[in-house]
Amino acid sequence: MDLPRFLVERGVIGPEQLVEFAAASPNGPFDRPDRLVIERGLIHEEDLLKLLAEELGLQYVDIKQQPIETDLLRKFSTSSIFRHTILPYTQQNGSVLVATSDPFHLESLEELAAGSGVHLEPVLACREHIAQIIKEHLGVGGDTLNELVAQRTADGIELVGSAGTSDEELTELAEAASVIRLVNELLMEAVNQKASDVHIEPQERGLTVRFRVDGVLCVQPMPDSINSFYLAIVTRLKIMSQLNIAEKRIPQDGRIKLKVSGREIDVRVSIIPMLHGEGVVLRLLDKGRMVFNLQNVGMPPTIAKTFHELISLPHGIVLVTGPTGSGKTTTLYSALNEIKSPTTKMITVEDPVEYQMPGISQIQVHSKVGLTFAAGLRSILRHDPDVILIGEIRDGETADSAIQASLTGHLVFSTLHTNDAPGAFARLVDMGVEPYLVASTVEGIVAQRLVRVLCKACRQAVPVKTGQLPDDFPEQKATHLYEPVGCRECRGTGFTGRQAIFELLRTDSAIGKLCMNRASGAEIRRHALAQGMISLRQNGFGRVLDGTTSLEEVLRITKPETL
């Protein structure tokens, strides 16, 4: 087939581009121009495959919509399937249909047919979709695991995971090329899925791997053979994060720095001994994707205006509260970027330093050598800072140090773990800080959560059913709301990414008096709501009405107001 002429005839490229293609092709003037046009964005892979299917008399299928015969799939060589990204998925008229994205690479089909002894009939499908379904049915790293099993069997050695395996044997296997590749494939798959965390959990009957994507944990399909290499995987992660591979009795924390497709990924590793072995949680921080801009945080205009006033104050304490993984660090870093200038000295004390920011002095906490939040804060006051960021107020000592810093003319940012903004006052008092000091130094508190954003490619407007809206929903006459559906763009979840919802409480004289009288968080909340504070739930309902998220998503992470 004359591919260049075909592409010109179908209007994909013009005759003048053939010369350019010739210069760009290292192996000749027309070295796979079909791939080149896709790489350059001249045509989508799906559209080109449909044109090729028509020209070659083949069938194009949306492989994600096809039923996959798992028993049939297991009859073929997984190494060929993974290596060539081809998928035998069903039988038809005595032949096995094999999905491929390359109709010109006949060697891959011949290799698959030679090992199975059946007649294969190729159909065309998008490469990314084929790869995704292979992982779903054969597991992440399935080919590598098969290779490991074959090596262990050929050597006559018992699989790792059996009792009595020495640390030396584990180290040797953990540094084997196949195990290194397996761990790398696991990390790359997590990055590709934009996972924030990877959970590797030993169970009584095997190993479970889960990714947290858009705040929700989902189990990853893994071959059963991975159970035998669990210890080698954990040992490999310990080696990568420079932890003690012989220590299996106490928790350990470490860090791994990776580069995936040119992007820097910082991995925080936490390993804790559990009933059936050591559990591993990897927190993935994609530095390339982070843009610390207050306008991109997603605050409603009224909250953004008040928050900007707070971070522009000359002194005082501004707190951001919420559970782990709710975007507190992003909000604080964005605030620092907003007010950063050559005339302002900014110093942070963090555990750990998640993102390096130019123009800001950052200190890493080292509790083992005595460099705690409180100790670091006492020291940095001698460096004449204007703005101080404390990663987290965890105890009374750190809280007292933050209070003293604000009283001596510094603007202090920090985070606190509370359920809402008003609860921060009671939390600080519980830590032992005098109520009058809390009332006079805390200028404002932001509480936030992250909600999943509906996929714009497939979200669907549906009529509101009777009784569907909660009693505190602001628009009881709303007729339509958006709900998730699921498509290729969102991997069938119905959501793509997350956005924060906020609750901002600014301290006034009445709140100061309530705090000094040791009022509960509920009392302070009632006053704030009466004064017009927009709660997390109401802010979330606003995102429901504008089609950003679904009603179920807001109800999942917020609770009704109890006045």
Side-chain angles (χ1 to χ4, degrees):
M1 178 180 180
D2 190 343
L3 268 175
R5 180 186 296 177
F6 168 77
L7 293 173
V8 172
E9 290 176 350
R10 294 305 182 103
V12 179
I13 59 174
E16 69 281 355
Q17 290 177 291
L18 293 180
V19 178
E20 182 187 352
F21 275 29
S25 300
N27 299 324
F30 305 123
D31 176 37
R32 299 310 302 265
D34 54 330
R35 294 179 179 173
L36 203 53
V37 293
I38 295 173
E39 290 172 4
R40 296 196 174 188
L42 299 176
I43 189 173
H44 290 293
E45 181 188 24
E46 180 180 356
D47 295 331
L48 179 59
L49 289 174
K50 287 179 179 179
L51 292 176
L52 287 171
E54 181 183 344
E55 181 71 16
L56 298 171
L58 298 176
Q59 181 185 1
Y60 174 84
V61 298
D62 182 355
I63 193 65
K64 296 181 75 173
Q65 303 299 325
Q66 303 297 317
I68 309 300
E69 297 180 18
T70 306
D71 293 337
L72 174 68
L73 187 58
R74 290 172 181 165
K75 295 178 181 179
F76 292 88
S77 166
T78 55
S79 59
S80 298
I81 291 173
F82 275 97
R83 184 164 58 252
H84 302 300
T85 316
I86 54 179
L87 178 67
Y89 65 96
T90 189
Q91 288 182 302
Q92 189 177 91
N93 300 325
S95 299
V96 173
L97 299 186
V98 180
T100 177
S101 62
D102 189 351
F104 306 109
H105 191 225
L106 301 178
E107 293 84 356
S108 61
L109 296 176
E110 291 171 357
E111 180 182 319
L112 194 66
S116 63
V118 298
H119 180 263
L120 305 180
E121 183 178 333
V123 298
L124 300 186
C126 292
R127 181 181 180 85
E128 182 184 349
H129 300 161
I130 296 173
Q132 183 179 341
I133 292 175
I134 289 173
K135 289 174 183 175
E136 288 175 359
H137 286 81
L138 298 179
V140 178
D143 186 33
T144 304
L145 280 166
N146 288 340
E147 182 181 323
L148 277 169
V149 172
Q151 289 175 358
R152 297 292 95 186
T153 305
D155 294 340
I157 300 174
E158 188 177 359
L159 294 175
V160 173
S162 303
T165 305
S166 67
D167 291 331
E168 292 78 8
E169 291 172 323
L170 278 175
T171 304
E172 182 180 351
L173 184 58
E175 293 182 337
S178 297
V179 172
I180 292 173
R181 188 163 71 247
L182 174 62
V183 173
N184 289 346
E185 287 175 358
L186 188 65
L187 291 172
M188 286 183 65
E189 181 64 18
V191 172
N192 291 336
Q193 291 194 30
K194 300 179 181 179
S196 60
D197 302 87
V198 177
H199 294 245
I200 303 174
E201 304 160 323
Q203 308 290 339
E204 183 179 4
R205 296 183 179 178
L207 183 67
T208 300
V209 178
R210 296 192 287 175
F211 292 171
R212 188 178 293 279
V213 181
D214 291 339
V216 178
L217 279 172
C218 46
V219 177
Q220 295 302 300
M222 303 295 295
D224 293 338
S225 54
I226 197 174
N227 300 330
S228 302
F229 296 95
Y230 154 69
L231 291 179
I233 293 170
V234 174
T235 303
R236 173 61 188 163
L237 289 170
K238 285 184 178 181
I239 292 171
M240 293 173 71
S241 50
Q242 299 181 352
L243 300 178
N244 184 356
I245 64 170
E247 183 55 73
K248 301 178 179 65
R249 302 164 298 173
I250 61 175
Q252 296 189 73
D253 295 313
R255 300 183 78 169
I256 303 171
K257 289 187 177 180
L258 302 174
K259 245 187 179 178
V260 179
S261 302
R263 290 151 50 198
E264 287 190 16
I265 308 294
D266 197 12
V267 183
R268 287 160 52 184
V269 182
S270 177
I271 300 178
I272 299 178
M274 297 185 178
L275 184 61
H276 300 292
E278 292 177 287
V280 182
V281 175
L282 311 174
R283 167 65 62 87
L284 306 180
L285 303 172
D286 190 343
K287 296 182 178 181
R289 290 176 54 204
M290 295 306 300
V291 178
F292 298 110
N293 186 326
L294 204 55
Q295 294 180 348
N296 295 339
V297 168
M299 287 185 178
T302 53
I303 293 180
K305 180 177 180 295
T306 304
F307 186 67
H308 194 276
E309 292 172 358
L310 287 173
I311 65 177
S312 301
L313 293 172
H315 55 78
I317 297 177
V318 178
L319 298 174
V320 179
T321 75
T324 302
S326 59
K328 301 187 298 295
T329 301
T330 300
T331 300
L332 285 177
Y333 278 10
S334 299
L336 290 181
N337 257 344
E338 183 78 8
I339 61 175
K340 182 175 66 175
S341 74
T343 61
T344 303
K345 171 82 170 186
M346 295 182 175
I347 303 181
T348 74
V349 187
E350 305 171 67
D351 183 22
V353 175
E354 295 188 359
Y355 300 97
Q356 298 179 22
M357 301 181 66
I360 298 175
S361 303
Q362 295 173 275
I363 300 173
Q364 169 76 53
V365 166
H366 289 289
S367 301
K368 292 181 179 178
V369 295
L371 182 54
T372 61
F373 281 117
L377 188 52
R378 286 194 298 269
S379 299
I380 64 177
L381 290 177
R382 306 187 188 102
H383 277 239
D384 186 31
D386 299 297
V387 179
I388 299 168
L389 185 148
I390 307 170
E392 182 184 347
I393 296 179
R394 297 177 178 173
D395 50 45
E397 185 182 9
T398 306
D400 284 330
S401 299
I403 294 288
Q404 293 304 317
S406 68
L407 289 172
T408 52
H410 302 90
L411 180 61
V412 180
F413 295 123
S414 190
T415 68
L416 202 63
H417 286 286
T418 61
N419 291 327
D420 55 16
F425 290 100
R427 180 81 180 98
L428 289 171
V429 172
D430 288 343
M431 287 181 177
V433 182
E434 290 295 332
Y436 74 91
L437 290 175
V438 176
S440 59
T441 57
V442 176
E443 298 290 346
I445 304 160
V446 175
Q448 67 181 74
R449 299 289 191 278
L450 293 178
V451 295
R452 292 183 292 171
V453 176
L454 286 167
C455 174
K456 292 184 179 180
C458 67
R459 66 177 184 176
Q460 181 179 346
V462 296
V464 175
K465 300 176 183 177
T466 304
Q468 179 183 0
L469 298 177
D471 294 337
D472 55 348
F473 197 80
E475 297 287 343
Q476 289 295 331
K477 294 182 179 180
T479 57
H480 288 79
L481 296 178
Y482 283 97
E483 289 187 354
V485 177
C487 66
R488 300 175 192 168
E489 300 293 329
C490 60
R491 294 176 177 263
T493 64
F495 298 92
T496 54
R498 290 187 291 175
Q499 182 176 311
I501 57 173
F502 298 92
E503 171 180 283
L504 190 150
L505 171 61
R506 187 162 189 176
T507 308
D508 58 18
S509 58
I511 289 177
K513 290 179 182 178
L514 287 169
C515 183
M516 285 190 286
N517 292 330
R518 297 179 179 269
S520 66
E523 293 178 83
I524 296 175
R525 183 172 189 79
R526 281 194 289 270
H527 169 79
L529 290 172
Q531 295 301 310
M533 181 185 78
I534 301 173
S535 68
L536 277 169
R537 191 172 174 92
Q538 291 301 319
N539 185 205
F541 286 152
R543 301 287 72 78
V544 172
L545 288 169
D546 64 20
T548 300
T549 190
S550 67
L551 177 61
E552 289 72 19
E553 185 70 6
V554 173
L555 297 180
R556 180 177 67 88
I557 63 170
T558 64
K559 66 177 185 178
E561 302 293 344
T562 53
L563 298 178

